[in-house]
Every structure is written in C-alpha cells, then in structure tokens.
Amino acid sequence: MKPTGPLPPEFAGQRGMLTIAGQRADDLLAAYGSPLFVYDAAIMAARVARFRAAMPPALDLHFAVKANPYPPVVAAMAALVDGLDVASAGELDKALSAKPAAAISFAGPGKRDHELDAAIRAGATLNVESEGEARRALAIAERHGVTPRLAVRVNPDLELRGSGMKMGGRASPFGVDAERVPALVRAIVAGGGDWRGFHIFAGSQALDAGALIETQAATLALAARLAEEAGMAPPLVNLGGGFGIPHFAGDRPLDIELIGDALATALDRRAAVLSDSRFAIELGRWLVGEAGVYLTRVVDRKQSRGDTFLVTDGGLHHQLAASGNFGTVVRRNYPIAAATRMGEPGTEEVSVVGCLCTPLDRLGDHVLLPEVEEGGIIAVFIAGAYGLTASPSAFLGHSAPNELLLHTH
Amino acid sequence: MKPTGPLPPEFAGQRGMLTIAGQRADDLLAAYGSPLFVYDAAIMAARVARFRAAMPPALDLHFAVKANPYPPVVAAMAALVDGLDVASAGELDKALSAKPAAAISFAGPGKRDHELDAAIRAGATLNVESEGEARRALAIAERHGVTPRLAVRVNPDLELRGSGMKMGGRASPFGVDAERVPALVRAIVAGGGDWRGFHIFAGSQALDAGALIETQAATLALAARLAEEAGMAPPLVNLGGGFGIPHFAGDRPLDIELIGDALATALDRRAAVLSDSRFAIELGRWLVGEAGVYLTRVVDRKQSRGDTFLVTDGGLHHQLAASGNFGTVVRRNYPIAAATRMGEPGTEEVSVVGCLCTPLDRLGDHVLLPEVEEGGIIAVFIAGAYGLTASPSAFLGHSAPNELLLHTH
C-alpha cells in the first residue's frame, strides 16, 4: 500500500456521496458526462479572503492565468484579484475580456513580435525578459506611436529554498540577470518606455513559510538595490508567488499568516527608494488548485496476478501531473478517493489507472480505498491548477472532458 | 557540454540548409509558420520497405495509429501496411476513413460501451482487455444482432528485456493474465463471438535485437500453449512491436534483419496448432518517428551568468518527450541541430529552451551548436511519433503548430 496526498480541507470531512459546491458527484457526471473537471468558486473566494486577511492591506494580489485559463475561472478570479498575469497572446486575450489592460501583465521568454504588438496596443504591461525583447518592444511601440508599459523581469541572485521549481539564483532563460537590470531600466526610460517596475520570481510550490519569508525579504532588498542603482523608484514590485499546496502524503499546508506578518514587517521597514512603490504577490496554484476535482468513472474492475485495477475513463491525457509524469522525478499519489463512499475506511488495495494504452497512465498506485464497483466514481483532487491545459489532451484521440465552474447558491 | 542523440540517417549527412523531402526548412517555415511539424512520407515508406525485406513474407505489418494520428500520415501508412491498430473511438474513426474495418483492431483498457458499440457496428476487431469487457462486447453485439470480432489481449508471463516500457510479466491493467486466457477464448466462442486470435504485447522501444528475438520466440510459444489449452487455433497472432529507434547519445539502431531471420526460423518451427495462423507485428515509433522533424525559430538569444540561451517559439507544449518530461526519469538530449547550418561543427555551448514560463521547457540542455542568431531555425528530430498529440498543446495558451506531410516529387 502506498499513501495518498491529503484531501483539501473542504473535502476532507465529507461522508457518503462527494459534493462539490453542494452538488452531488453522481448528479454532475450524469448531467455533464465523464470525465469531468469541477471547480468550486467558493473555495477560490475563500483562498482570496484568507490571503487578504493574512497579508498587509496594501499588498496587491495577482492571479496567474496559466494555472487555470478556463474562461469562467478567469472571470471569477478577475473579480476577486487586483491583477491578472498572463504568459501568451492567447492568455492575454482571455485576460482582456475579464480585466482592464492596466491590470494585466505579460511575462514569459520568447515573446514573438505579434505578442509584443498585441500587449502594447492593448496597454498591458510587458515584463521584459531580456535586453533584446525590450528593444523589440520599444521599436514596436514607436511604430504605433504609443508609450509601452514595460516592467523588467529580474533573474535574482537568490533562490527560493525548498521550492518545487527553482527559478532564480542561477543561469536562467527567465528575466535579466540582476546585475544588468539597472542599465536596462535606464535604457527603457531613455527609449521612451513607461517603466512599470520589477517582476522577481524565485520559485514555486514551496511549503516552507520560513523559506518564503527569507526569499521575500531578499527580494525586497534586491528591488531596493536595483532601484537605487537605476536611480528610479519602481511603481510596482511583483514579489513573485511560490505559495505551495499539499499534494502528497506528509505535505503540510503553508502558514500564510506567518508569511503575512513577516511581509508586513518587511514592508514597514523597506528602503526609502521603495516608499511609494506598490507590491504584489502573484499566485496560481495556491488560489485555485484545491478548488478543482477531477471526476472519472470506473469502466472496468479487473484482477491481474493478485493486484486489483480500477480502469477509469479518465487518465493522464487530462491529469498528467497526477500520473507523476510532469515535473516530478518520483511518482507519488495525489489525493484520490471513492467519490461515492467519502469518509469510509479503505478496505482494499487497488491501482486506479486511466484508459490510455500506456503503463504511464496511473492515477493512483496501490492505494487503499473502499470497494468501488464498475460504474463507480473516482475523484482526484487538486485538479484546479495545471490540470487539463497542462496535459496532453489529444493523446490517443479521446474526446475532451467538460469543465464546470460551480457557484454555491 | 552534454551530448545529443544521433540524427536519423536521412538527415545525418546533410550540409547547409536542412531539407525535408527536398524542401528547405526556411522555405517551409515561411510558408507554414513556426513552429512546424514536418513529416517525410518517403522515410516512412523506406521503413516499411526495410521491414518487408527483413521479415518473413507472410508476416503482416500493422501501424499503431497512436504514434502519429495526423490524418494524412494515417492515410499514407494505411496504403503501405496490412492493418491499423487504434486505441480509442477517435482513432477508430480516423482509421475507418483510411482502411477497411476488417484490417482494424482496437486495443486499450477502459473501453466504454459507446466505443465497443462503434467498433462492433463497424466490424473492426476488438482486442478485449478483460473478461468483463468481453461480456460487455458480446452483450452489445447481441443487441445489434451481429457477430463481434474479438481477439484476446494477453498479459504474458514474459517480459521484454531492455524495453523502454515494460508491459508484461507482472500485474498489469493491460490484457488478461495468460493463465485465464484459454477459458476466455472458449467463453467468447460459446457466447457467439468470432474469435480472431491473440494480441501479445510485451514492451516497447527496445534497441536490443537479442531481447526482441527472445521475446518473439517466447510469445510464439505462449500463443501455441494458449491455443492448445483453448482447443482452438488463432486466426491471427499479433506479436506486438517493441522495435525501438535511437533517441540519445550511445543508442545504436536496432538490427531488424537479425530479428527477421530469427523470426523466420521461429515461424518455420512453430507448433502445429499455429500452422494456419497469420502473424503480425505492430509498430508505431519505428515506422514514423524518424520521419518527423520539429522546426522552431529562435526568438531571443540571451546570456545569463555565463550561459547562452536560445529561446525559441516552440517548446514542451509541442514536444513534451524531447523536454524529458514524459516517460523518462533522467533528462537527456534528443537529436537537435541548427537547421540553417547542417553539418557545421559546433562552436558554442547553448541551451535551447521553449517559450513556456517553466524551467521544464528545455529542448536542448548545454548542447554544442554552430552559432545561431535570432531568427535562426532549430530542428528537433524524431518528431514523427508521440510528438504533438503526446504533448500538452493547450498549456499556456499558445496557438497550435501546423503539421505537414511531404511527398518527394
């Protein structure tokens, strides 16, 4: 038997049929087909409220659209947060339908001219990733006769300890090495750009509050040093995100109240050059990850050499990360449950597999569940972020699942 | 510097601008946009011809559609092979537009009733994966008043040594444990099914001819034993595939002539119960993998802490396997080249990254290439199998790349 990750708190106490935003899993599948992604707007709103309560009042909250670009989710989040961060022209289009351009920033390496063009014409902020990209952006803006809003993404000389994905402190395709940033800021202003500040992202999916506190303090110090060297105060400092959520057995939730207290202190004591700056935290997974559940029906229940397999109509083509094939070296089980028998003790060890003809397609490996018959429903949790769009949905030619955002009535 | 995999033979000797089926890479990108998947029909045909020359004449060749379901590729392969193997109702539809139903078989766990229904009504062969699936198929066929064509997928009690993905010899979601197969065959026939034989797949992506020869001999012996126990001769024995192609430095091409000689001998000596059976090999990657090239343009060339990055407009959303994030534990470089400067010695160490805002998005890690400027073209090889459809193409909202099948004129 292998352990599974902890269920998000809104689902951990449920008994009997799983409900999402008050609706029964079986009714949802009957109405919308299987497999199905269901997102609960109230859980997203609760995460935003918790963030607001924990963090200093002046701090802005941005939603990273890439975590879940389902248009109703983007619209719901846009109503709750101060800004949307996008990573492509496609995401920019979605964001522009939900939020004014002034509240949208666009980061990501390899922005093509047509993407720079779209952001500049819309009036969104471009987080430039290199000197070359800044030059291209200024040239495009000049052709349009407009002033581009340009922030500088910084490749910091610091690293987020305990980060699931390290994105700073080393040679990186992201951002401009900190030591070259002041010169770039001056070049942007000299070139006619409206310099919007810094974007400093040191890592993601961290569960260690101490590491995040340390990184945020170092990020503030770095922003102050770069501003002083540039001789200009940044209108906004995007401090990055990196707030993780528990995925696997043994993971503990992040103590964001501790982070908020430390950040309040750090902001109170910030250097004079940052006194008029705004600050933002950019989150994706932490805001929406736990709000999503992937429901899939058991098509076949079979025995092989002493093992029991529940073969579902879902799989890694929808939930690649849960299969352990995206960004993880060792496969571990996501939180998974028998949706029809929540709260019942596990009575048999089964492997839950998908319908793809590859041994990689495993949603739960030797997990302990109550008995689930053919036609039963399996729920894989933490499906609200990096789920469907981060999976090879065309693999093996299965039809796309529905997605659904539920508001509690 | 880290090594790259060997270029497929058709491209290894090229000098100057890369050509695919005689067309220049720069012309192709100008006409069809970047990034672009280009498949060369002549390379696919050459692989089929080599297979036919190496293998015993009576052996059938099937194409596994999942390797590349691009409709023009399916059509081109359908004209060259004896059968198409599919893994979903979606692939079945594509196959039916290219080949008669009698030449199509459908394998895969978790087939839903509507998929069984579609295959039965079309007259395709279902490779049943469990006793339960066989019962459902027989019941559906009875409702339609037709005789279903049912083969039994066997979970063999043998394993392909050196296989990239082991699919036999252990508890498995695929097929029916060998020891239960004879009873299932009798039940299918008693239930009114047209029993089509066995499907025995022991692994994939093997480069060791000796291991494949051993596995094929064991597969033949297993088929004979199961047929004898069932008391019926199988019309067809699908021996599986498993032929690998070189991806990484040090990989050597498979000696299929050696395999063909051994298989001819093994077939000559086969048990009497198999004397009237046909035999098939099912291949995907080996037939089409080397025929595809992924072309992507360099958008930005940047320095960071001593490293040089070529940031392209492609990435893991199109070529997940090349980024090392699908089915591999240790990331190694696929064959990759400067498409504009084929055959030139490498002069600088660069990392080729995609345009996604994640550190996972790396197409070439510290590879030695001739200098490539912004606007230059990078070619990632072995893009003909498990490329676009095996990648999270919606990730980060970039537009889909074009695909193109070229016939040499």
Side-chain angles (χ1 to χ4, degrees), chain A residues 88 109-110 112 129-130 153 155 171-173 175 177 180 300 302-305 311 325 355 357 389 395-396 398, chain B residues 88 109-110 112 129-130 153 155 171-173 175 177 180 300 302-305 311 325 355 357 389 395-396 398:
Chain A
S88 69
R112 277 147 283 190
E129 303 271 352
S130 71
R153 180 157 176 193
N155 177 27
S172 168
D177 290 352
R180 299 202 312 267
D300 201 1
K302 57 186 284 193
Q303 308 293 326
S304 173
R305 310 220 158 97
V311 185
N325 287 292
C355 62
C357 213
T389 61
F395 197 35
L396 269 55
H398 291 281
Chain B
S88 69
R112 277 147 283 189
E129 303 270 352
S130 72
R153 181 160 175 189
N155 178 27
S172 169
D177 290 352
R180 298 202 313 269
D300 202 1
K302 58 186 283 192
Q303 308 293 326
S304 173
R305 308 218 159 99
V311 184
N325 286 292
C355 61
C357 213
T389 61
F395 197 36
L396 270 55
H398 290 282

Side-chain angles (χ1 to χ4, degrees), chain A residues 145-160:
Chain A
V146 299
T147 300
R149 299 162 68 91
L150 303 179
V152 175
R153 180 157 176 193
V154 180
N155 177 27
D157 40 12
L158 56 97
E159 179 164 85
L160 173 54

